[in-house]
Amino acid sequence: MKISLDRSLCNGYGNCVIEAPELFDLDESGIGVVLQEEPDDSMLTLAEAAARICPVIAITVTA
Protein backbone atom coordinates (compact mmCIF):
# COMPACT_ATOMS: atom_id res chain seq x y z
CA MET A 1 0.00 0.00 0.00
CA LYS A 2 1.13 3.54 -0.71
CA ILE A 3 -0.23 6.75 0.81
CA SER A 4 0.25 10.16 -0.74
CA LEU A 5 -0.95 13.57 0.35
CA ASP A 6 -1.13 16.52 -2.03
CA ARG A 7 0.20 19.29 0.18
CA SER A 8 -0.92 21.92 -2.35
CA LEU A 9 -4.53 20.89 -1.68
CA CYS A 10 -4.25 20.46 2.09
CA ASN A 11 -5.82 23.21 4.20
CA GLY A 12 -4.65 21.77 7.53
CA TYR A 13 -8.04 20.73 8.88
CA GLY A 14 -6.35 17.80 10.65
CA ASN A 15 -9.13 15.28 10.06
CA CYS A 16 -6.55 12.77 8.85
CA VAL A 17 -4.58 13.15 12.09
CA ILE A 18 -7.71 12.58 14.17
CA GLU A 19 -8.69 9.55 12.06
CA ALA A 20 -5.23 7.96 11.73
CA PRO A 21 -2.57 9.54 13.97
CA GLU A 22 -0.25 6.62 13.23
CA LEU A 23 -0.16 7.67 9.57
CA PHE A 24 -0.56 11.48 9.51
CA ASP A 25 0.55 14.60 11.33
CA LEU A 26 0.61 18.35 10.72
CA ASP A 27 3.90 20.15 10.16
CA GLU A 28 4.95 23.42 11.81
CA SER A 29 2.90 25.40 9.27
CA GLY A 30 -0.21 23.30 9.88
CA ILE A 31 -0.12 21.34 6.63
CA GLY A 32 -0.57 17.57 6.62
CA VAL A 33 2.32 15.15 6.27
CA VAL A 34 2.35 11.41 5.79
CA LEU A 35 4.29 9.66 8.56
CA GLN A 36 4.36 6.28 6.83
CA GLU A 37 4.21 6.42 3.04
CA GLU A 38 4.24 2.63 2.66
CA PRO A 39 2.72 1.18 5.84
CA ASP A 40 1.87 -2.43 6.43
CA ASP A 41 -1.38 -3.58 4.83
CA SER A 42 -2.90 -3.86 8.29
CA MET A 43 -3.22 -0.05 8.21
CA LEU A 44 -5.29 -0.05 5.02
CA THR A 45 -8.60 0.53 6.79
CA LEU A 46 -7.19 3.52 8.70
CA ALA A 47 -5.62 5.01 5.58
CA GLU A 48 -8.82 4.66 3.58
CA ALA A 49 -10.86 6.22 6.39
CA ALA A 50 -8.49 9.20 6.52
CA ALA A 51 -8.74 9.64 2.75
CA ARG A 52 -12.55 9.57 2.91
CA ILE A 53 -12.74 12.11 5.73
CA CYS A 54 -10.41 14.64 4.06
CA PRO A 55 -12.64 17.59 3.09
CA VAL A 56 -10.35 18.64 0.20
CA ILE A 57 -9.63 15.10 -1.09
CA ALA A 58 -5.85 15.56 -0.69
CA ILE A 59 -5.11 11.94 0.32
CA THR A 60 -4.67 9.06 -2.10
CA VAL A 61 -4.34 5.43 -1.03
CA THR A 62 -3.25 2.78 -3.52
CA ALA A 63 -3.16 -0.89 -2.61
Side-chain angles (χ1 to χ4, degrees):
M1 166 186 35
K2 182 159 173 77
I3 301 171
S4 59
L5 187 150
D6 186 337
R7 292 175 48 85
S8 68
L9 293 176
C10 180
N11 286 326
Y13 293 112
N15 295 359
C16 57
V17 179
I18 293 166
E19 191 68 32
E22 305 89 338
L23 300 174
F24 299 94
D25 201 356
L26 298 178
D27 67 10
E28 61 281 344
S29 60
I31 300 299
V33 292
V34 179
L35 298 176
Q36 298 182 53
E37 290 182 5
E38 294 186 25
D40 185 85
D41 287 341
S42 66
M43 300 288 228
L44 180 60
T45 302
L46 280 176
E48 290 176 334
R52 277 192 308 274
I53 202 167
C54 178
V56 295
I57 313 169
I59 300 169
T60 304
V61 179
T62 53

